[in-house]
Amino acid sequence: MQDGSLLDAREEQAYRLLVGLALARSGDLAEVAELTQHEADEVLQRLQAKGLVAVQEADEPLFRPLPPDVALGTTLLRRQESLEAARKTVAALSEEFRLNANRRDAHHLVEVIVGATALRERLRDLQESAREEILWFCRANPLAMQGAENTEEYGALSRGVRYRAIYERALLETPGELDTIAEGVGWGEEARSLPTLPVRLAIVDRATAVCPLVRDDELGIGEPTTAVIGRGQLLDALLALFESHWEQATPVRLQAGDKLVAEGLDDSERFLLSLLVAGVPDKSIASQLGISRRTVQRRLDRMMALAGVDTRTGLAYQAAKRGWL
């Protein structure tokens, strides 16, 4: 049968009726099956050819059904053997195709884009299409856009996309950048800081990474050249790089939790503490917060007294121990 069945619908119906009749003439089957005599003769011939019907010669032939497991069992077994052989052939062909496709299509895993404008547009598109998570390595002196220009982040955060960003310390000291970071954290961004980052990097939904191909000290030579990297071992390595740095980075938090409120820290003090632990100098902290260095010192003195220590190192330790950061 073209659809792979052992019996077509008419053959199955005729066989079932014949089983009920136990023994019947062609005319009897035609009557109960509502077939013409010609149709009944034809279907009985097909059933006989398949070993499902035996004929008893008489003045008029009588037909009796035979066990289907004997008649169709061998056919079914042969089909199973044929299907298993076909499955093995498909598996072998698929493996051969995969190996050759990997070699043939390897260049599609990495797309190269040139120019700050093209990079900006690609980052915009990737953020607008993100559904789950965006990871950032934010180095100082951005290539494609300043933090305040990345308005797509707020739209993604409002859709429920998780943002995790690690900022270089020098970026935190850049005028205006802390205000932008504070706004992002206010929208739900998770921000951390490290003294330095190995590379600029953005990863969207763990499926696409954007990474410059030109070192920062060579940027003045020409337009920035960036790789857009798809799924593969290179992307896996970049994900591992991000996660290892995320574990080492210091949180930058702006909202006070219940524990901090109970122990007397307000939002600005918690922000100041996170910048201190991140290694930002007093002068830069004062500039970013719009207060004097003397005020910075006074607030640190107050937090050290609250923590029961007399050094900044001790304050950082107690902040970690008490869950202030």
Side-chain angles (χ1 to χ4, degrees):
M1 306 305 299
Q2 290 184 349
D3 62 359
S5 60
L6 297 175
L7 299 174
D8 64 23
R10 180 170 289 179
E11 290 170 347
E12 183 177 346
Q13 178 197 29
Y15 180 78
R16 288 177 181 272
L17 290 172
L18 196 58
V19 169
L21 294 170
L23 194 65
R25 296 180 177 86
S26 176
D28 298 331
L29 181 63
E31 182 179 352
V32 296
E34 298 181 352
L35 299 173
T36 67
Q37 186 62 51
H38 174 73
E39 290 172 336
D41 291 340
E42 186 180 64
V43 74
L44 283 169
Q45 288 175 6
R46 295 204 302 268
L47 291 174
Q48 186 178 1
K50 293 181 177 181
L52 289 168
V53 169
V55 181
Q56 293 182 7
E57 295 295 339
D59 295 337
E60 187 174 351
L62 292 171
F63 298 89
R64 62 181 176 86
L66 297 176
D69 53 342
V70 175
L72 301 180
T74 301
T75 302
L76 187 59
L77 178 60
R78 287 174 180 171
R79 289 194 179 185
Q80 289 175 336
E81 292 173 347
S82 178
L83 285 172
E84 179 61 19
R87 187 195 65 77
K88 291 180 179 179
T89 300
V90 170
L93 291 174
S94 297
E95 179 65 13
E96 184 174 346
F97 176 85
R98 185 187 65 79
L99 292 174
N100 282 278
N102 286 344
R103 290 192 291 268
R104 183 179 64 251
D105 299 332
H107 64 283
H108 293 308
L109 295 176
V110 178
E111 173 193 355
V112 177
I113 56 177
V114 179
T117 301
L119 174 57
R120 174 71 181 94
E121 288 304 311
R122 180 54 62 89
L123 289 172
R124 180 196 302 274
D125 292 342
L126 286 171
Q127 290 184 91
E128 289 179 344
S129 65
R131 291 294 175 266
E132 296 179 3
E133 183 180 52
I134 296 179
L135 313 175
W136 288 98
F137 273 172
C138 301
R139 300 190 73 182
N141 304 314
L143 292 181
M145 59 183 172
Q146 300 295 323
E149 298 173 345
N150 187 22
T151 55
E152 290 77 29
E153 175 178 355
Y154 307 131
L157 284 167
S158 66
R159 297 195 310 271
V161 177
R162 184 187 185 191
Y163 266 72
R164 288 193 287 157
I166 305 178
Y167 296 93
E168 270 192 341
R169 182 181 300 163
L171 188 62
L172 299 181
E173 299 176 28
T174 302
E177 284 295 333
L178 274 180
D179 292 336
T180 301
I181 296 171
E183 185 174 4
V185 172
W187 277 79
E189 174 189 302
E190 299 172 47
R192 295 188 180 186
S193 176
L194 282 172
T196 60
L197 289 171
V199 68
R200 303 175 192 275
L201 179 65
I203 304 177
V204 179
D205 289 340
R206 297 183 172 266
T208 306
V210 179
C211 182
L213 295 174
V214 180
R215 293 173 49 174
D216 282 8
D217 57 6
E218 300 173 351
L219 288 177
I221 297 176
E223 289 275 13
T225 304
T226 307
V228 181
I229 302 163
R231 293 185 185 275
Q233 290 189 340
L234 180 55
L235 178 60
D236 292 342
L238 292 174
L239 283 166
L241 179 69
F242 179 89
E243 296 295 352
S244 65
H245 282 70
W246 181 259
E247 291 299 320
Q248 301 171 27
T250 300
V252 178
R253 297 176 179 167
L254 311 182
Q255 300 297 322
D258 294 341
K259 185 173 183 180
L260 299 180
V261 172
E263 293 189 320
L265 292 184
D266 60 27
D267 289 1
S268 63
E269 287 174 325
R270 189 182 187 192
F271 187 22
L272 188 159
L273 180 58
S274 69
L275 296 177
L276 171 72
V277 175
V280 179
D282 287 8
K283 181 179 179 181
S284 296
I285 294 176
S287 175
Q288 294 295 332
L289 295 180
I291 58 179
S292 67
R293 294 179 66 180
R294 186 183 184 89
T295 301
V296 170
Q297 181 59 57
R298 186 169 63 252
R299 291 185 178 180
L300 288 174
D301 288 343
R302 176 182 177 277
M303 284 188 281
M304 285 190 287
L306 189 64
V309 297
D310 56 7
T311 65
R312 295 188 179 194
T313 302
L315 176 59
Y317 173 78
Q318 287 297 324
K321 182 178 179 180
R322 299 179 183 214
W324 290 357
L325 291 177

